[in-house]
Amino acid sequence: MAEEMTKKRMLSGIKPSGDLTLGSYLGAVKNWAELAEDYECFYFMADLHAITVRQNPADLRRRTLEQLAQYIACGLDPEKNTLFIQSHVRQHAELGWVLNCYAMFGELSRMTQFKDKSAKNADNINGGLFTYPSLMAADILLYQPDLVPVGDDQKQHVELCHTIARRFNGIYGDVFKLPEPFVPKVGARIMSLTNPTAKMSKSENEDTGRVLLMDSPDTIMRQFKRAITDSDTENCVHFDRENKPGVSNLMTIYAACTGKSFDEIQAEFAGKGYGVFKPAVGEAVVETLRPIREEATRLMKDKAYLESVYRDGAEKAGFVAEKTLRKVYKKVGFVPR
């Protein structure tokens, strides 16, 4: 128990607005699984965030459970990690509203993701899309974590979380801990196979640019054979993110799946060209994802087990979150329940 108390706390979540991709796994979930021995970890399905874009209700429910099954299949042991569904812990929405009142309009309007998503959803620029960084700050600050594993594209939101927390602490005293962003070095940013200047997206419309955790081996191989390399005459496997983004992306994926360094990969494929390299990357991905796909498929058939996991997770998360929310409510002057 003493060891548990000394562990630093970590928290993160992914929206169940699309199927988990190879990028989600290599960039985030794989790293999370390795952290459980050293950290007290909370991971959630961010379904509240998902509805800033219109969702098919049945699909959202299915994807939320599939994501939970995939988390477990990727190595997130429910005995070692607290796994829960965001909407099951009411404190997220409650603190989200309070923090809305401490986030400035100008700060929210400068968020890059708001601008990007507004451009993509011009017919549905809703209030939630604008204020969801406040909810994200609530997601984080509720649990007083030391670290938040985030991709490079989420650093801006963690910085805003710090700004809101400092503003609140400046008014009411030391209420929130300011967590540090934790960005994994290898595989932190897996790009689209067809557009290596854009991140591989789980909600991407162009299916050829992504690989899903649940894709069949045949589908995975087909995606990699179609992958963009680079329009050079060298046809050599060499890491250069700026000038050879396609090959560099494939090398990043291969390194993450095999544990090999870029120098080792370059030596392995010296003189062999892209025609040999692309299927080799595909095979490495097939073997990496095979046990995950098989275990997730098995878990999805065991609805009672999944329910027990998310119920227990919500209970544990709610216990921690309520401590923070009570403190916040007292500070801002709400009458105790």
Side-chain angles (χ1 to χ4, degrees):
M1 193 65 171
E3 181 195 351
E4 191 71 28
M5 295 298 290
T6 59
K7 282 184 178 181
K8 287 188 173 182
R9 184 175 289 165
M10 185 174 284
L11 171 129
S12 195
I14 295 181
K15 284 185 295 185
S17 54
D19 298 298
L20 286 180
T21 67
L22 177 69
S24 309
Y25 174 63
L26 295 180
V29 184
K30 179 185 177 186
N31 303 79
W32 297 352
E34 296 165 359
L35 297 169
E37 300 304 322
D38 301 315
Y39 298 93
E40 182 191 7
C41 299
F42 290 75
Y43 300 119
F44 61 92
M45 280 46 73
D47 54 345
L48 293 177
H49 285 289
I51 63 168
T52 58
V53 177
R54 295 287 176 262
Q55 302 288 335
N56 177 296
D59 286 346
L60 180 58
R61 277 189 286 272
R62 174 183 56 80
R63 282 175 167 156
T64 301
L65 292 176
E66 283 179 350
Q67 191 165 297
L68 175 60
Q70 288 170 28
Y71 274 0
I72 299 169
C74 287
L76 295 186
D77 184 347
E79 298 296 320
K80 297 179 180 179
N81 302 275
T82 301
L83 307 177
F84 64 99
I85 297 169
Q86 183 188 25
S87 63
H88 289 184
V89 181
R90 59 172 173 75
Q91 292 87 350
H92 286 252
E94 293 186 38
L95 183 59
W97 169 252
V98 174
L99 297 187
N100 265 339
C101 301
Y102 293 84
M104 298 299 113
F105 186 90
E107 292 165 348
L108 293 170
S109 63
R110 285 193 291 274
M111 293 292 104
T112 305
Q113 286 218 355
F114 171 67
K115 295 173 185 175
D116 291 347
K117 290 191 176 185
S118 296
K120 290 177 184 174
N121 300 279
D123 59 340
N124 183 28
I125 305 175
N126 58 70
L129 195 64
F130 185 70
T131 62
Y132 92 90
S134 299
L135 177 58
M136 183 174 169
D139 297 334
I140 295 168
L141 297 174
L142 271 174
Y143 299 93
Q144 309 282 10
D146 301 280
L147 296 165
V148 183
V150 290
D152 291 333
D153 58 333
Q154 293 289 350
K155 277 185 176 178
Q156 192 184 29
H157 290 147
V158 175
E159 287 165 7
L160 179 62
C161 173
H162 279 195
T163 300
I164 295 171
R166 285 194 193 96
R167 182 174 293 132
F168 195 93
N169 288 351
I171 299 169
Y172 300 109
D174 189 18
V175 177
F176 296 124
K177 181 182 286 188
L178 272 60
E180 293 300 317
F182 177 81
V183 182
K185 291 181 174 65
V186 177
R189 199 159 169 78
I190 302 298
M191 314 306 278
S192 165
L193 298 181
T194 52
N195 178 13
T197 60
K199 192 174 80 162
M200 184 180 287
S201 170
K202 64 181 182 293
S203 53
E204 190 175 324
N205 293 324
E206 182 53 64
D207 285 345
T208 54
R210 63 185 185 170
V211 171
L212 304 179
L213 290 195
M214 302 303 285
D215 277 344
S216 69
D218 286 347
T219 300
I220 294 170
M221 291 304 296
R222 189 163 57 248
Q223 303 295 65
F224 277 96
K225 285 173 183 173
R226 292 175 182 166
I228 298 292
T229 44
D230 300 293
S231 56
D232 59 30
T233 53
E234 296 174 22
N235 195 30
C236 72
V237 176
H238 173 67
F239 191 88
D240 182 344
R241 181 70 80 182
E242 188 174 334
N243 298 310
K244 295 167 74 76
V247 172
S248 298
N249 185 42
L250 293 177
M251 288 181 73
T252 300
I253 293 169
Y254 194 67
C257 289
T258 64
K260 294 178 181 178
S261 69
F262 292 142
D263 287 343
E264 287 171 331
I265 295 167
Q266 193 171 317
E268 182 181 350
F269 294 96
K272 293 181 180 176
Y274 303 150
V276 175
F277 181 52
K278 290 201 291 184
V281 180
E283 288 287 356
V285 170
V286 165
E287 293 312 312
T288 297
L289 298 186
R290 187 190 305 279
I292 295 170
R293 186 182 70 252
E294 291 173 355
E295 177 64 1
T297 301
R298 186 189 71 78
L299 288 169
M300 277 303 291
K301 294 173 183 174
D302 193 346
K303 293 290 193 280
Y305 172 71
L306 289 179
E307 183 176 335
S308 72
V309 169
Y310 68 66
R311 279 179 182 273
D312 289 349
E315 189 176 334
K316 291 177 193 171
F319 179 78
V320 175
E322 183 61 18
K323 287 182 182 177
T324 302
L325 189 70
R326 277 186 186 173
K327 188 186 292 186
V328 169
Y329 274 15
K330 183 178 180 182
K331 292 289 186 181
V332 300
F334 293 162
V335 175
R337 288 175 179 167

